[in-house]
Amino acid sequence: GAVVSQHPSWVICKSGTSVKIECRSLDFQATTMFWYRQFPKQSLMLMATSNEGSKATYEQGVEKDKFLINHASLTLSTLTVTSAHPEDSSFYICSARVAGSGTEAFFGQGTRLTVV
Amino acid sequence: AQTVTQSQPEMSVQEAETVTLSCTYDTSESNYYLFWYKQPPSRQMILVIRQEAYKQQNATENRFSVNFQKAAKSFSLKISDSQLGDTAMYFCAFMNRDDKIIFGKGTRLHILP
C-alpha cells in the first residue's frame, strides 16, 4: 500500500511554544489529508480536513487559530500547534487519500506531543 | 449526525479461537463505506477490511470477514484462527459522503497464548 510519513514521531516542547508536525505522502498524490487527535485509550477524533491549495475545514470545537493546518502541495500537509499548553498533549495522526482511488485512506505513524 | 458504536470495550480469546467484534452505526445516507482498522501497540493504523454499502456480499480478507446487515446498520468483524499478532485495538469506522472517516471508540482485543 501507499506510504504516509509523519514527522516527528514524538516531540516535547515547553508551554507557550509552537510545534509543527509534518505529514507526507511518499509515493502518491494526496488531494485530501485528515488530522486526528487521539487521547490515551480513546478513539481517533477528527480535527480537520485539508484539501491541497485551499483552507482546511475544522470540526466543531476545534480551534482553528490554535491548530493551523497547511496543505501547500499534493504530498505535504502540516499541523502547527500554536502556543501549546499541557492540555494539548496528545497523539496526533494524519491520514491521506489517494486522488481518484475511491475510498482508500492511509495513515501516518502518529506524533506524540508532550507539552511541559 | 453519524455515529459508530462499539459495545465491547475489551475482549480476550485463546489463540486459534474465533472471535467476533460488534459494531453498529447510524446514518441517513444510502451509500457509504465501512471499515475495520487495527491499531497495534505501535499505534500505526492498519486497514483490516472494508465494505461498500451497496454491495450485499460480505467482504472477506483471509482470516477476517464481516457480517454486514444494512437494514440493521450492523457491521461485525469475525477473526478466525486468531493469532497472537492479532492483539490490538480494533476500530470500526464509517466514511460519509464528505469522505470523512468517523471512528467508534474501539475494542481492545487480547489473544491469549
Side-chain angles (χ1 to χ4, degrees), chain A residues 38 43 59 103-104 107 112, chain B residues 33 39 43-44 100 104:
Chain A
Q38 186 179 28
S43 187
E59 295 300 301
T103 64
E104 191 71 60
F107 286 81
R112 180 178 299 284
Chain B
Y33 296 86
Q39 188 179 42
R43 304 194 77 170
Q44 174 71 56
K100 295 180 183 178

Side-chain angles (χ1 to χ4, degrees), chain B residues 9-21:
Chain B
E10 198 159 358
M11 298 181 72
S12 296
V13 295
Q14 294 293 137
E15 190 177 8
E17 288 185 349
T18 294
V19 60
T20 299
L21 280 58

Side-chain angles (χ1 to χ4, degrees), chain A residues 49-70:
Chain A
T49 303
S50 73
N51 293 292
E52 185 266 338
S54 62
K55 289 185 179 180
T57 302
Y58 291 81
E59 295 300 301
Q60 191 172 8
V62 177
E63 300 175 61
K64 61 180 67 176
D65 293 331
K66 181 164 192 62
F67 298 100
L68 300 180
I69 292 171
N70 183 278

Side-chain angles (χ1 to χ4, degrees), chain A residues 1-50:
Chain A
V3 178
V4 174
S5 176
Q6 195 172 332
H7 178 80
S9 298
W10 59 272
V11 58
I12 301 173
C13 71
K14 290 185 177 181
S15 186
T17 62
S18 295
V19 174
K20 179 183 286 188
I21 302 169
E22 291 187 349
C23 179
R24 292 181 184 273
S25 55
L26 297 186
D27 49 4
F28 66 97
Q29 293 184 327
T31 52
T32 305
M33 288 188 174
F34 303 90
W35 287 95
Y36 294 86
R37 182 173 182 176
Q38 186 179 28
F39 290 104
K41 297 186 178 181
Q42 293 191 26
S43 187
L44 282 72
M45 300 302 296
L46 180 64
M47 298 175 66
T49 303
S50 73

